[in-house]
Amino acid sequence: MFKTLDDLNPEQRVLVRLDLNSPVEDDEVQDNRRFDRHAETVRELADAGHRVVLMAHQGRPGGDDFVSLEQHAAILAKHVDHDVQFVADTYGDEAIDAIESLSAGEVLLLENTRMCDEELPEEDPEVKADTEFVQTLAPYFDAYINDAYSAAHRSHASLVGFALELPAYAGRVMQTEYEANSSIATREFDGQVTMVVGGTKATDVINVMNNLGDKVDQFLLGGIAGELFLRAAGHEVGFDLDGMDFFDDQWEANRDTIESLLDERGDQIKLAVDLAYEDDNDERAEIAVSDIDEKDRAYLDVGSETVETYDPIIRDSEAVFVKGALGLFEDERFSVGTVGVLRAISETDCFSVVGGGDTSRAIEMYGMDEADFGHVSIAGGAYIRALTGAPLAGVEVLK
Ligand SMILES: Nc1ncnc2c1ncn2[C@@H]1O[C@H](COP(=O)(O)OP(=O)(O)OP(=O)(O)O)[C@@H](O)[C@H]1O
Ligand SMILES: O=C(O)[C@H](O)COP(=O)(O)O
Protein backbone atom coordinates (compact mmCIF):
# COMPACT_ATOMS: atom_id res chain seq x y z
CA MET A 1 0.00 0.00 0.00
CA PHE A 2 2.03 2.92 1.26
CA LYS A 3 5.04 3.32 3.56
CA THR A 4 4.37 4.50 7.10
CA LEU A 5 6.41 6.00 9.94
CA ASP A 6 7.47 2.44 10.81
CA ASP A 7 9.56 2.47 7.60
CA LEU A 8 11.29 5.80 8.24
CA ASN A 9 15.11 5.84 8.69
CA PRO A 10 16.42 7.39 11.93
CA GLU A 11 17.40 11.05 12.29
CA GLN A 12 15.72 12.34 9.18
CA ARG A 13 14.88 15.88 8.11
CA VAL A 14 11.15 15.41 7.54
CA LEU A 15 8.64 17.66 5.80
CA VAL A 16 5.17 16.86 7.14
CA ARG A 17 1.81 17.97 5.70
CA LEU A 18 -0.97 18.27 8.32
CA ASP A 19 -4.56 19.47 7.94
CA LEU A 20 -5.08 22.08 10.66
CA ASN A 21 -7.80 23.91 8.72
CA SER A 22 -10.07 25.15 11.52
CA PRO A 23 -13.06 27.36 12.22
CA VAL A 24 -12.02 30.98 12.86
CA GLU A 25 -14.28 33.18 15.01
CA ASP A 26 -13.51 36.89 15.51
CA ASP A 27 -9.98 36.26 14.16
CA GLU A 28 -9.44 33.52 16.71
CA VAL A 29 -8.55 30.05 15.51
CA GLN A 30 -10.74 27.50 17.30
CA ASP A 31 -9.13 24.48 18.84
CA ASN A 32 -10.59 21.23 17.51
CA ARG A 33 -9.88 17.52 17.23
CA ARG A 34 -7.64 17.95 14.16
CA PHE A 35 -4.93 19.36 16.48
CA ASP A 36 -5.31 16.49 18.86
CA ARG A 37 -5.11 13.85 16.16
CA HIS A 38 -2.10 15.32 14.34
CA ALA A 39 -0.31 15.86 17.65
CA GLU A 40 0.19 12.12 17.83
CA THR A 41 2.17 12.05 14.56
CA VAL A 42 4.19 15.15 15.49
CA ARG A 43 5.03 13.82 18.96
CA GLU A 44 6.16 10.48 17.57
CA LEU A 45 8.48 12.18 15.06
CA ALA A 46 9.93 14.65 17.58
CA ASP A 47 10.45 11.95 20.23
CA ALA A 48 12.28 9.84 17.65
CA GLY A 49 14.77 12.69 17.15
CA HIS A 50 13.83 13.76 13.62
CA ARG A 51 14.00 17.42 12.56
CA VAL A 52 10.31 18.11 11.98
CA VAL A 53 9.03 20.80 9.60
CA LEU A 54 5.25 21.12 9.29
CA MET A 55 3.09 22.51 6.49
CA ALA A 56 -0.65 23.19 6.65
CA HIS A 57 -3.29 25.47 5.14
CA GLN A 58 -6.03 27.65 6.58
CA GLY A 59 -9.06 28.90 4.64
CA ARG A 60 -8.94 30.09 1.06
CA PRO A 61 -7.66 33.42 -0.33
CA GLY A 62 -10.41 36.00 -0.01
CA GLY A 63 -12.20 34.26 2.87
CA ASP A 64 -12.47 35.61 6.44
CA ASP A 65 -10.78 32.48 7.69
CA PHE A 66 -7.75 32.91 5.41
CA VAL A 67 -5.30 33.72 8.22
CA SER A 68 -1.73 33.08 9.30
CA LEU A 69 -0.82 29.82 11.05
CA GLU A 70 0.81 31.59 14.00
CA GLN A 71 -2.07 30.71 16.34
CA HIS A 72 -2.09 27.14 15.02
CA ALA A 73 1.51 26.70 16.19
CA ALA A 74 0.58 27.68 19.74
CA ILE A 75 -2.50 25.41 19.82
CA LEU A 76 -0.56 22.49 18.35
CA ALA A 77 2.26 22.97 20.90
CA LYS A 78 -0.28 22.53 23.70
CA HIS A 79 -1.53 19.26 22.23
CA VAL A 80 1.92 17.85 21.47
CA ASP A 81 3.24 19.11 24.81
CA HIS A 82 6.35 20.22 22.95
CA ASP A 83 7.57 23.57 21.60
CA VAL A 84 6.36 24.32 18.04
CA GLN A 85 8.31 27.17 16.42
CA PHE A 86 6.62 29.26 13.73
CA VAL A 87 8.02 31.16 10.75
CA ALA A 88 5.84 33.56 8.72
CA ASP A 89 7.18 32.31 5.40
CA THR A 90 6.60 29.24 3.20
CA TYR A 91 9.75 28.79 1.10
CA GLY A 92 11.63 32.12 1.09
CA ASP A 93 14.94 32.92 2.82
CA GLU A 94 13.32 33.26 6.23
CA ALA A 95 11.77 29.81 5.97
CA ILE A 96 15.01 28.24 4.73
CA ASP A 97 17.01 29.85 7.59
CA ALA A 98 14.56 28.52 10.15
CA ILE A 99 14.64 25.04 8.57
CA GLU A 100 18.42 24.97 8.52
CA SER A 101 18.77 26.00 12.13
CA LEU A 102 16.52 23.21 13.47
CA SER A 103 18.13 20.66 15.79
CA ALA A 104 17.15 17.01 16.24
CA GLY A 105 13.75 16.69 17.94
CA GLU A 106 12.74 20.30 17.18
CA VAL A 107 9.48 21.20 15.44
CA LEU A 108 8.80 24.14 13.11
CA LEU A 109 5.54 25.16 11.43
CA LEU A 110 5.75 27.07 8.12
CA GLU A 111 3.23 29.74 7.08
CA ASN A 112 -0.17 28.92 5.46
CA THR A 113 0.63 27.00 2.23
CA ARG A 114 -2.25 28.78 0.48
CA MET A 115 -0.36 32.08 0.80
CA CYS A 116 1.91 30.62 -1.83
CA ASP A 117 0.53 31.20 -5.38
CA GLU A 118 1.59 27.81 -6.68
CA GLU A 119 -0.21 25.83 -3.99
CA LEU A 120 -3.83 26.10 -5.04
CA PRO A 121 -4.68 25.51 -8.66
CA GLU A 122 -5.72 21.86 -8.97
CA GLU A 123 -3.14 20.37 -11.34
CA ASP A 124 -1.50 17.01 -11.94
CA PRO A 125 1.10 15.90 -9.39
CA GLU A 126 3.86 16.20 -12.03
CA VAL A 127 2.98 19.87 -12.59
CA LYS A 128 2.89 20.51 -8.85
CA ALA A 129 6.24 18.76 -8.36
CA ASP A 130 7.75 21.16 -10.86
CA THR A 131 6.71 24.35 -9.02
CA GLU A 132 9.28 26.68 -7.48
CA PHE A 133 7.64 26.04 -4.10
CA VAL A 134 8.34 22.29 -4.25
CA GLN A 135 11.68 22.55 -6.08
CA THR A 136 13.02 25.07 -3.55
CA LEU A 137 11.97 23.25 -0.37
CA ALA A 138 12.48 19.58 -1.30
CA PRO A 139 16.32 19.61 -1.27
CA TYR A 140 16.31 20.52 2.44
CA PHE A 141 14.58 17.23 3.39
CA ASP A 142 15.20 13.48 3.45
CA ALA A 143 11.52 12.48 3.53
CA TYR A 144 7.99 13.76 2.96
CA ILE A 145 5.17 12.64 5.24
CA ASN A 146 1.53 13.27 4.40
CA ASP A 147 -0.77 13.14 7.42
CA ALA A 148 -3.46 15.36 5.89
CA TYR A 149 -6.01 12.73 4.90
CA SER A 150 -8.86 15.25 5.18
CA ALA A 151 -7.28 17.44 2.49
CA ALA A 152 -6.04 14.55 0.34
CA HIS A 153 -8.83 14.98 -2.22
CA ARG A 154 -7.09 18.19 -3.35
CA SER A 155 -4.28 18.01 -5.92
CA HIS A 156 -2.37 20.93 -4.38
CA ALA A 157 1.42 21.38 -4.35
CA SER A 158 1.95 20.56 -0.66
CA LEU A 159 -0.31 17.49 -0.96
CA VAL A 160 0.95 15.85 -4.17
CA GLY A 161 4.13 17.63 -5.36
CA PHE A 162 6.65 16.64 -2.69
CA ALA A 163 5.69 12.96 -2.87
CA LEU A 164 7.24 12.81 -6.36
CA GLU A 165 10.47 14.49 -5.25
CA LEU A 166 11.18 12.77 -1.93
CA PRO A 167 10.70 9.33 -0.37
CA ALA A 168 7.06 9.57 0.77
CA TYR A 169 5.31 8.16 3.84
CA ALA A 170 1.84 8.20 5.40
CA GLY A 171 1.54 9.72 8.88
CA ARG A 172 -0.53 8.07 11.63
CA VAL A 173 -3.69 10.09 10.92
CA MET A 174 -3.45 9.32 7.19
CA GLN A 175 -3.02 5.64 7.99
CA THR A 176 -6.02 5.25 10.32
CA GLU A 177 -8.35 7.51 8.35
CA TYR A 178 -7.55 5.76 5.10
CA GLU A 179 -8.14 2.32 6.51
CA ALA A 180 -11.44 3.10 8.25
CA ASN A 181 -12.98 5.36 5.63
CA SER A 182 -12.20 3.12 2.66
CA SER A 183 -13.57 0.07 4.41
CA ILE A 184 -17.10 0.41 3.03
CA ALA A 185 -15.67 0.12 -0.47
CA THR A 186 -12.90 -2.37 0.23
CA ARG A 187 -14.07 -4.62 3.07
CA GLU A 188 -16.53 -7.52 3.06
CA PHE A 189 -18.80 -7.51 6.11
CA ASP A 190 -20.55 -10.72 7.20
CA GLY A 191 -23.75 -9.03 8.33
CA GLN A 192 -25.92 -6.05 7.53
CA VAL A 193 -24.25 -2.77 6.51
CA THR A 194 -26.21 0.36 7.41
CA MET A 195 -25.61 3.96 6.48
CA VAL A 196 -27.11 6.93 8.32
CA VAL A 197 -27.54 9.78 5.87
CA GLY A 198 -28.36 13.36 6.88
CA GLY A 199 -26.89 16.82 7.20
CA THR A 200 -27.24 19.77 4.89
CA LYS A 201 -25.12 18.69 1.91
CA ALA A 202 -27.92 16.80 0.20
CA THR A 203 -26.32 16.50 -3.25
CA ASP A 204 -23.13 15.02 -1.79
CA VAL A 205 -24.87 12.38 0.27
CA ILE A 206 -27.36 11.47 -2.44
CA ASN A 207 -24.43 10.87 -4.78
CA VAL A 208 -22.86 8.64 -2.15
CA MET A 209 -26.10 6.63 -1.96
CA ASN A 210 -26.20 6.38 -5.70
CA ASN A 211 -22.58 5.23 -5.99
CA LEU A 212 -22.52 2.70 -3.20
CA GLY A 213 -24.68 0.21 -5.03
CA ASP A 214 -25.01 -3.07 -3.19
CA LYS A 215 -22.38 -2.24 -0.53
CA VAL A 216 -25.08 -0.94 1.82
CA ASP A 217 -28.14 -2.93 2.91
CA GLN A 218 -30.07 -0.16 4.68
CA PHE A 219 -30.04 3.62 4.45
CA LEU A 220 -31.56 5.53 7.40
CA LEU A 221 -32.45 9.04 6.32
CA GLY A 222 -32.81 12.39 8.03
CA GLY A 223 -31.69 16.00 7.55
CA ILE A 224 -32.20 17.77 4.23
CA ALA A 225 -31.74 14.65 2.09
CA GLY A 226 -34.38 12.92 4.21
CA GLU A 227 -36.90 15.67 3.47
CA LEU A 228 -36.17 15.49 -0.26
CA PHE A 229 -36.87 11.75 -0.25
CA LEU A 230 -40.10 12.35 1.69
CA ARG A 231 -41.10 14.90 -0.91
CA ALA A 232 -40.47 12.35 -3.66
CA ALA A 233 -42.74 9.98 -1.75
CA GLY A 234 -45.51 12.60 -1.99
CA HIS A 235 -45.30 14.41 1.37
CA GLU A 236 -45.63 18.17 1.87
CA VAL A 237 -42.19 18.77 3.42
CA GLY A 238 -39.22 20.91 2.40
CA PHE A 239 -40.54 24.30 3.44
CA ASP A 240 -38.66 27.38 2.25
CA LEU A 241 -38.92 30.64 4.19
CA ASP A 242 -40.23 33.61 2.18
CA GLY A 243 -37.80 34.54 -0.58
CA MET A 244 -35.70 31.37 -0.28
CA ASP A 245 -35.45 28.54 -2.80
CA PHE A 246 -33.14 26.24 -0.90
CA PHE A 247 -35.38 23.17 -0.92
CA ASP A 248 -36.71 23.80 -4.40
CA ASP A 249 -33.17 24.12 -5.79
CA GLN A 250 -32.02 20.97 -3.99
CA TRP A 251 -35.08 19.17 -5.28
CA GLU A 252 -34.44 20.17 -8.89
CA ALA A 253 -30.77 19.18 -8.64
CA ASN A 254 -31.46 15.75 -7.16
CA ARG A 255 -34.94 14.77 -8.26
CA ASP A 256 -33.95 12.27 -10.97
CA THR A 257 -31.44 10.49 -8.75
CA ILE A 258 -33.87 10.35 -5.83
CA GLU A 259 -36.67 8.96 -7.97
CA SER A 260 -34.49 6.29 -9.51
CA LEU A 261 -33.05 5.33 -6.09
CA LEU A 262 -36.57 4.97 -4.68
CA ASP A 263 -37.57 3.00 -7.71
CA GLU A 264 -34.65 0.58 -7.67
CA ARG A 265 -33.87 0.32 -3.97
CA GLY A 266 -36.93 1.71 -2.21
CA ASP A 267 -37.09 -1.17 0.27
CA GLN A 268 -33.55 -0.41 1.48
CA ILE A 269 -34.24 3.27 2.08
CA LYS A 270 -35.90 4.05 5.42
CA LEU A 271 -37.54 7.44 5.72
CA ALA A 272 -38.71 9.30 8.82
CA VAL A 273 -42.23 8.41 9.98
CA ASP A 274 -42.46 11.55 12.11
CA LEU A 275 -40.71 14.93 12.22
CA ALA A 276 -40.04 17.60 14.85
CA TYR A 277 -40.56 21.36 14.66
CA GLU A 278 -40.59 24.42 16.89
CA ASP A 279 -44.12 25.22 18.10
CA ASP A 280 -45.62 28.61 19.05
CA ASN A 281 -44.17 28.30 22.57
CA ASP A 282 -40.68 27.68 21.16
CA GLU A 283 -40.87 24.07 22.23
CA ARG A 284 -40.20 20.87 20.34
CA ALA A 285 -43.35 19.39 18.88
CA GLU A 286 -43.70 16.29 16.71
CA ILE A 287 -46.03 15.29 13.91
CA ALA A 288 -46.54 12.02 12.05
CA VAL A 289 -45.45 12.38 8.42
CA SER A 290 -48.82 10.94 7.34
CA ASP A 291 -50.60 13.85 9.11
CA ILE A 292 -48.65 16.58 7.28
CA ASP A 293 -51.06 18.07 4.74
CA GLU A 294 -49.59 21.50 4.11
CA LYS A 295 -46.07 22.75 3.39
CA ASP A 296 -46.13 25.47 6.02
CA ARG A 297 -43.28 24.92 8.47
CA ALA A 298 -39.62 23.91 8.72
CA TYR A 299 -38.74 20.55 10.26
CA LEU A 300 -35.60 20.48 12.33
CA ASP A 301 -35.26 16.87 13.41
CA VAL A 302 -36.69 13.41 12.86
CA GLY A 303 -39.28 12.42 15.46
CA SER A 304 -39.06 9.98 18.40
CA GLU A 305 -40.94 7.22 16.61
CA THR A 306 -38.46 7.40 13.74
CA VAL A 307 -35.62 6.95 16.23
CA GLU A 308 -37.45 3.90 17.60
CA THR A 309 -37.61 2.36 14.13
CA TYR A 310 -33.97 3.19 13.32
CA ASP A 311 -32.60 1.93 16.66
CA PRO A 312 -33.14 -1.84 16.14
CA ILE A 313 -31.80 -1.64 12.58
CA ILE A 314 -28.56 -0.19 13.95
CA ARG A 315 -28.39 -2.78 16.72
CA ASP A 316 -28.77 -5.58 14.14
CA SER A 317 -25.99 -4.21 11.94
CA GLU A 318 -22.48 -5.52 11.50
CA ALA A 319 -21.24 -2.14 10.30
CA VAL A 320 -22.70 1.38 10.49
CA PHE A 321 -21.44 4.42 8.58
CA VAL A 322 -22.71 7.90 9.44
CA LYS A 323 -22.65 10.86 7.06
CA GLY A 324 -24.51 13.90 8.31
CA ALA A 325 -26.73 14.64 11.30
CA LEU A 326 -30.44 13.74 11.41
CA GLY A 327 -31.38 17.17 12.77
CA LEU A 328 -30.20 20.52 14.01
CA PHE A 329 -28.47 18.86 16.96
CA GLU A 330 -26.61 22.01 18.03
CA ASP A 331 -29.98 22.98 19.53
CA GLU A 332 -30.70 20.41 22.23
CA ARG A 333 -34.43 20.36 21.37
CA PHE A 334 -33.56 18.99 17.95
CA SER A 335 -30.80 16.58 18.94
CA VAL A 336 -33.07 13.55 19.52
CA GLY A 337 -32.49 11.94 16.11
CA THR A 338 -28.74 12.45 15.90
CA VAL A 339 -28.06 11.53 19.52
CA GLY A 340 -30.46 8.57 19.29
CA VAL A 341 -28.62 6.91 16.41
CA LEU A 342 -25.16 7.76 17.75
CA ARG A 343 -26.07 6.33 21.16
CA ALA A 344 -27.36 3.12 19.56
CA ILE A 345 -24.09 2.78 17.63
CA SER A 346 -22.01 3.42 20.76
CA GLU A 347 -23.91 0.73 22.68
CA THR A 348 -23.32 -2.04 20.16
CA ASP A 349 -20.06 -3.61 19.13
CA CYS A 350 -20.61 -3.14 15.40
CA PHE A 351 -17.84 -1.68 13.26
CA SER A 352 -18.66 2.03 12.94
CA VAL A 353 -17.37 5.12 11.20
CA VAL A 354 -18.77 8.58 11.98
CA GLY A 355 -17.73 11.24 9.49
CA GLY A 356 -18.19 14.92 8.89
CA GLY A 357 -16.77 17.64 11.10
CA ASP A 358 -20.17 18.83 12.25
CA THR A 359 -21.75 15.48 12.91
CA SER A 360 -18.84 14.12 14.88
CA ARG A 361 -19.05 17.17 17.16
CA ALA A 362 -22.33 15.76 18.50
CA ILE A 363 -20.37 12.94 20.15
CA GLU A 364 -18.57 15.19 22.61
CA MET A 365 -21.43 17.69 22.88
CA TYR A 366 -23.75 15.04 24.26
CA GLY A 367 -21.25 13.30 26.52
CA MET A 368 -20.62 10.19 24.45
CA ASP A 369 -17.19 8.60 24.39
CA GLU A 370 -15.23 8.51 21.12
CA ALA A 371 -13.77 5.19 22.23
CA ASP A 372 -17.22 3.60 21.82
CA PHE A 373 -17.07 4.20 18.06
CA GLY A 374 -14.87 2.33 15.60
CA HIS A 375 -13.57 5.49 14.01
CA VAL A 376 -14.54 9.15 14.22
CA SER A 377 -13.27 10.84 11.09
CA ILE A 378 -11.92 14.39 10.97
CA ALA A 379 -12.52 14.52 7.23
CA GLY A 380 -15.41 16.09 5.28
CA GLY A 381 -14.99 16.05 1.48
CA ALA A 382 -12.34 13.32 1.57
CA TYR A 383 -14.67 11.07 3.61
CA ILE A 384 -17.47 11.58 1.07
CA ARG A 385 -15.13 10.52 -1.70
CA ALA A 386 -13.73 7.56 0.17
CA LEU A 387 -17.26 6.28 0.81
CA THR A 388 -17.81 5.93 -2.91
CA GLY A 389 -14.42 4.32 -3.48
CA ALA A 390 -13.14 7.31 -5.47
CA PRO A 391 -9.34 7.78 -5.36
CA LEU A 392 -7.80 10.68 -3.40
CA ALA A 393 -4.96 12.48 -5.19
CA GLY A 394 -2.84 12.82 -2.04
CA VAL A 395 -3.18 9.12 -1.25
CA GLU A 396 -2.48 7.92 -4.79
CA VAL A 397 0.94 9.61 -4.87
CA LEU A 398 1.91 7.87 -1.63
CA LYS A 399 1.18 4.46 -3.06
N1 LIG B 1 -33.49 19.32 9.40
C1 LIG B 1 -32.40 20.09 9.53
N2 LIG B 1 -32.51 21.42 9.48
C2 LIG B 1 -31.41 22.20 9.60
N3 LIG B 1 -30.16 21.74 9.78
C3 LIG B 1 -30.00 20.42 9.83
C4 LIG B 1 -31.10 19.54 9.70
N4 LIG B 1 -30.62 18.29 9.78
C5 LIG B 1 -29.28 18.38 9.95
N5 LIG B 1 -28.89 19.67 9.99
C6 LIG B 1 -27.51 20.20 10.17
O1 LIG B 1 -26.59 19.43 9.41
C7 LIG B 1 -25.30 19.65 9.94
C8 LIG B 1 -24.40 18.46 9.69
O2 LIG B 1 -24.34 18.05 8.40
P1 LIG B 1 -23.35 18.57 7.22
O3 LIG B 1 -23.64 17.72 6.07
O4 LIG B 1 -23.46 20.03 7.05
O5 LIG B 1 -21.94 18.39 7.78
P2 LIG B 1 -21.07 17.15 8.19
O6 LIG B 1 -21.32 16.05 7.25
O7 LIG B 1 -21.25 16.82 9.60
O8 LIG B 1 -19.61 17.75 8.13
P3 LIG B 1 -18.72 18.45 7.05
O9 LIG B 1 -19.14 19.89 7.12
O10 LIG B 1 -17.37 18.24 7.61
O11 LIG B 1 -18.96 17.80 5.73
C9 LIG B 1 -25.49 19.93 11.39
O12 LIG B 1 -24.76 21.06 11.74
C10 LIG B 1 -27.00 20.07 11.57
O13 LIG B 1 -27.36 21.18 12.33
O1 LIG C 1 -11.18 21.41 5.95
C1 LIG C 1 -11.21 20.61 5.02
O2 LIG C 1 -12.21 19.89 4.76
C2 LIG C 1 -9.96 20.41 4.22
O3 LIG C 1 -8.89 21.02 4.83
C3 LIG C 1 -10.11 20.89 2.80
O4 LIG C 1 -10.30 22.25 2.77
P1 LIG C 1 -10.82 22.95 1.41
O5 LIG C 1 -12.22 22.44 1.21
O6 LIG C 1 -10.74 24.44 1.66
O7 LIG C 1 -9.91 22.50 0.31
Side-chain angles (χ1 to χ4, degrees):
M1 239 315 285
F2 38 52
K3 287 195 225 149
T4 71
L5 301 194
D6 300 325
D7 304 303
L8 200 58
N9 288 328
E11 293 180 28
Q12 301 280 283
R13 297 168 303 160
V14 294
L15 180 62
V16 190
R17 178 58 156 97
L18 309 179
D19 184 3
L20 301 177
N21 196 29
S22 303
V24 177
E25 286 167 23
D26 297 327
D27 297 329
E28 248 184 66
V29 174
Q30 306 296 301
D31 195 350
N32 64 85
R33 51 157 61 77
R34 283 186 174 167
F35 287 94
D36 203 38
R37 295 281 175 85
H38 285 300
E40 196 195 326
T41 299
V42 176
R43 194 180 309 113
E44 180 176 341
L45 291 167
D47 286 353
H50 300 294
R51 289 168 165 77
V52 186
V53 176
L54 309 172
M55 294 186 291
H57 74 274
Q58 173 62 53
R60 287 181 167 248
D64 289 343
D65 62 346
F66 183 57
V67 299
S68 161
L69 296 190
E70 189 169 4
Q71 295 178 59
H72 299 69
I75 301 172
L76 184 63
K78 228 175 36 192
H79 286 274
V80 187
D81 199 14
H82 187 290
D83 189 34
V84 176
Q85 303 170 35
F86 171 72
V87 60
D89 188 15
T90 45
Y91 69 95
D93 292 345
E94 240 189 289
I96 303 298
D97 282 351
I99 293 167
E100 285 196 301
S101 47
L102 270 195
S103 306
E106 286 189 331
V107 181
L108 166 73
L109 175 63
L110 303 177
E111 184 53 290
N112 189 345
T113 53
R114 291 185 180 176
M115 290 186 179
C116 164
D117 290 344
E118 293 169 318
E119 167 74 344
L120 270 182
E122 292 261 352
E123 289 162 321
D124 288 344
E126 291 73 19
V127 177
K128 289 309 193 189
D130 222 22
T131 56
E132 202 184 319
F133 173 28
V134 173
Q135 290 297 322
T136 308
L137 273 190
Y140 293 91
F141 296 95
D142 306 307
Y144 167 74
I145 297 166
N146 192 351
D147 210 27
Y149 176 86
S150 47
H153 52 309
R154 309 285 184 212
S155 193
H156 296 163
S158 64
L159 292 156
V160 297
F162 292 100
L164 302 192
E165 295 296 307
L166 291 164
Y169 303 81
R172 296 303 180 203
V173 173
M174 171 66 80
Q175 225 182 317
T176 42
E177 287 272 357
Y178 177 80
E179 205 173 301
N181 299 348
S182 315
S183 58
I184 198 162
T186 58
R187 231 172 105 167
E188 291 290 330
F189 293 100
D190 289 337
Q192 175 173 282
V193 178
T194 299
M195 175 170 272
V196 178
V197 176
T200 52
K201 295 167 193 145
T203 303
D204 282 353
V205 295
I206 291 166
N207 281 337
V208 168
M209 291 174 70
N210 200 30
N211 278 299
L212 277 172
D214 54 4
K215 295 278 184 186
V216 172
D217 302 300
Q218 298 279 346
F219 291 98
L220 310 180
L221 266 73
I224 307 305
E227 284 195 55
L228 296 177
F229 273 80
L230 284 172
R231 176 169 171 171
H235 299 286
E236 293 294 325
V237 298
F239 171 75
D240 272 319
L241 288 172
D242 262 356
M244 283 182 66
D245 295 318
F246 176 74
F247 271 103
D248 283 342
D249 290 348
Q250 299 282 320
W251 171 250
E252 288 312 323
N254 295 292
R255 178 188 187 146
D256 292 348
T257 317
I258 292 172
E259 286 176 346
S260 78
L261 276 167
L262 280 174
D263 209 33
E264 287 159 28
R265 297 220 295 279
D267 53 337
Q268 296 174 306
I269 300 172
K270 300 279 176 280
L271 303 181
V273 293
D274 55 350
L275 292 169
Y277 60 94
E278 187 176 55
D279 70 11
D280 294 339
N281 301 317
D282 293 345
E283 281 174 22
R284 176 189 173 99
E286 298 191 348
I287 182 168
V289 167
S290 56
D291 289 340
I292 299 174
D293 43 25
E294 250 184 286
K295 194 188 287 184
D296 58 356
R297 64 164 79 96
Y299 294 103
L300 300 171
D301 194 9
V302 298
S304 320
E305 214 181 305
T306 303
V307 179
E308 269 170 46
T309 62
Y310 287 179
D311 182 283
I313 298 174
I314 287 171
R315 290 181 198 271
D316 282 346
S317 297
E318 175 77 17
V320 183
F321 293 82
V322 180
K323 179 63 190 101
L326 293 190
L328 186 72
F329 69 83
E330 293 86 346
D331 181 331
E332 200 172 348
R333 295 170 302 165
F334 302 109
S335 63
V336 173
T338 307
V339 173
V341 297
L342 288 174
R343 199 146 271 149
I345 295 170
S346 72
E347 286 170 6
T348 63
D349 56 8
C350 65
F351 174 80
S352 61
V353 182
V354 180
D358 287 315
T359 313
S360 48
R361 238 172 351 112
I363 293 174
E364 54 186 320
M365 243 180 113
Y366 291 97
M368 288 171 272
D369 187 350
E370 243 184 69
D372 290 330
F373 296 85
H375 178 66
V376 178
S377 176
I378 53 172
Y383 177 57
I384 287 270
R385 258 168 242 218
L387 286 178
T388 62
L392 305 178
V395 173
E396 293 308 300
V397 291
L398 292 182
K399 284 181 181 170

